[in-house]
Amino acid sequence: MDVYGIKSCDTCRKALKELGNPELVDIRENGLPEDLLRRAAETFGNDLLNRRSTTWRGLDEQTRAKPMLELLREHPLLMKRPLILAGDRLYLGWGEDVRKALLG
């Protein structure tokens, strides 16, 4: 299982703790692999973009108008977190539905 997020994200820390502390891939330091970014965009669409984040609020309108994939490449912290790759399945966030799917 791979968990993509950032070390300082409370939601990522909760997910890691409940999942038994798998390895965190810090997107601030490493970005998101292109193939995974594309797959996540296909799977989650616009839900992949966190429009409530501090990073989003700091962007001007011209930057916000860019295509989602371009925005996420330039500003990986705009991704909703965590993005979890478990086997061949992708999960986004740490809501009740994701917890039930991964923890039973």
Side-chain angles (χ1 to χ4, degrees), residues 8-28:
S8 61
C9 173
D10 288 339
T11 304
C12 291
R13 287 195 298 242
K14 287 178 194 174
L16 290 168
K17 183 177 180 182
E18 290 183 49
L19 290 169
N21 292 312
E23 189 71 28
L24 173 71
V25 179
D26 194 320
I27 60 172
R28 177 180 282 148

Side-chain angles (χ1 to χ4, degrees), residues 7 17-18 33-34 48-49 69 86 93-94 97-98 103:
K7 295 173 188 171
K17 183 177 180 182
E18 290 183 49
E34 183 65 27
L48 188 60
L49 192 61
L69 286 175
W94 192 241
D97 57 332
V98 175
L103 301 174

Side-chain angles (χ1 to χ4, degrees), residues 74-103:
E74 291 175 8
H75 307 279
L77 297 182
L78 285 173
M79 183 185 81
K80 183 174 180 181
R81 301 177 297 266
L83 177 65
I84 302 168
L85 178 59
D88 63 344
R89 301 258 346 236
L90 280 177
Y91 300 91
L92 185 62
W94 192 241
E96 188 64 31
D97 57 332
V98 175
R99 284 197 296 274
K100 280 184 181 179
L102 293 172
L103 301 174

